[in-house]
């Protein structure tokens, strides 16, 4: 079967967002003739979400570059062990080690304002007690998630949040694909959701090629799509 020599970019959104958060990045990549897929991230748990992303990647003909924003970074660290994945790009993301949870990685550094501004709710689980999920309090959302995004847009993003299962913070990663695959990382220097120190630490540990954007919020893919796409294009070029 013929495969496309240009890797397909798979964009994995994080918590409190959906695949539409990649809209500007998708347009940039498509304008450069790069094939893109932006699947929905279930946001129900590290192992199950990573398995879903791995299955998306495995069903693509040819090489794949996995791109993870935020919590999506932890997923690509696990899903990246899939055979046809040739590179990993972390965007304002967690780059987890095997056996490490998000809580552990985050706990090494001062907590971001996100932690004290989460709102809990429950969701039904078949055959079990309801589970807890979290979103960002709507009034805190603009400052924490998207301080450099126009106010009318943040109002929409705040009400369109996808909740994350609280269990995702304590589940440990089963793999660290960055040990065997080349990686790139974009650090959002003004991030109030994931402490930029957490981003830098994970990226350095992964041996990633690092780009840092001054003044960039957690929603850097929304506010600075060109710079995000430029880094992804660099990964695509290097792995083609």
């Amino acid at each position: 079967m013929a495969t496309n020599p240009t890797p397909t970019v798979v964009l994995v959104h994080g918590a409190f967002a959906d695949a539409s958060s990649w809209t500007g990045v998708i347009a940039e990549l498509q304008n450069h003739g790069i094939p893109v897929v932006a699947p929905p991230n279930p946001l129900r748990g590290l192992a199950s979400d990573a398995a879903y992303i791995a299955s998306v990647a495995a069903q693509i003909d040819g090489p794949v570059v996995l791109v993870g924003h935020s919590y999506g970074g932890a997923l690509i660290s696990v899903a990246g062990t899939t055979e046809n994945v040739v590179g990993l790009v972390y965007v304002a993301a967690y780059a987890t080690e095997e056996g490490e949870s998000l809580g552990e990685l985050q706990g090494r550094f001062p907590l971001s304002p996100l932690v004290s501004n989460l709102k809990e709710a429950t969701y039904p689980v078949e055959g079990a007690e309801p589970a807890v999920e979290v979103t960002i309090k709507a009034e805190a959302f603009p400052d924490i998630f998207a301080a450099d995004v126009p106010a009318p847009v943040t109002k929409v993003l705040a009400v369109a949040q996808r909740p994350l299962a609280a269990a995702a913070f304590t589940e440990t990663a089963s793999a660290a694909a960055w040990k065997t695959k080349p990686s790139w990382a974009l650090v959002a220097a003004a991030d109030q959701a994931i402490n930029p120190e957490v981003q830098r630490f994970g990226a350095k540990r992964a041996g990633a090629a690092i780009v840092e954007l001054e003044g960039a919020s957690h929603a850097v893919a929304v506010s600075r799509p060109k710079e995000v796409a430029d880094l992804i294009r660099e990964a695509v070029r290097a792995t083609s």
Side-chain angles (χ1 to χ4, degrees):
M1 191 179 288
T3 56
N4 185 348
T6 301
T8 297
V9 171
V10 175
L11 299 169
V12 183
H13 69 81
F16 323 124
D18 61 27
S20 70
S21 59
W22 293 113
T23 301
V25 175
I26 292 168
E28 287 283 340
L29 295 173
Q30 288 178 335
N31 287 343
H32 286 90
I34 295 169
V36 195
V37 179
N41 176 353
L43 302 177
R44 296 289 78 150
L46 192 52
S48 61
D49 294 344
Y52 176 71
I53 297 304
S55 84
V56 169
Q59 292 175 75
I60 292 170
D61 283 338
V64 165
V65 169
L66 283 181
V67 181
H69 173 246
S70 187
Y71 164 68
L75 302 187
I76 69 169
S77 294
V78 176
T81 57
T82 307
E83 202 177 331
N84 63 329
V85 173
V86 294
L88 308 167
V89 183
Y90 295 90
V91 178
Y94 296 107
T96 37
E97 167 65 284
E98 187 176 347
E100 183 177 63
S101 70
L102 298 184
E104 282 172 317
L105 173 54
Q106 203 156 255
R108 294 195 170 119
F109 301 92
L111 293 176
S112 72
L114 170 77
V115 181
S116 57
N117 282 285
L118 292 174
K119 181 176 152 197
E120 291 191 353
T122 60
Y123 64 96
V125 178
E126 200 175 336
E129 289 295 302
V132 176
E133 63 182 15
V134 291
T135 50
I136 302 171
K137 291 173 185 168
E139 65 278 10
F141 186 92
D143 287 347
I144 286 173
F145 199 89
D148 58 349
V149 175
V153 178
T154 60
K155 280 184 181 168
V156 174
L157 296 178
V159 297
Q161 287 184 64
R162 293 270 313 279
L164 175 66
F169 289 107
T170 53
E171 220 180 309
T172 57
S174 61
W178 45 260
K179 288 181 174 173
T180 55
K181 311 276 170 100
S183 58
W184 290 259
L186 186 147
V187 174
D191 200 326
Q192 297 293 302
I194 300 178
N195 183 337
E197 285 300 324
V198 174
Q199 300 174 36
R200 288 183 198 108
F201 171 80
K204 281 179 187 154
R205 180 173 64 179
I210 303 170
V211 169
E212 187 148 335
L213 291 188
E214 291 303 318
S217 77
H218 193 58
V220 62
V222 178
S223 63
R224 314 272 285 269
K226 187 184 181 306
E227 286 98 324
V228 173
D230 284 348
L231 184 63
I232 296 168
R233 285 171 53 217
E234 194 178 302
V236 167
R237 271 197 303 272
T239 54
S240 287

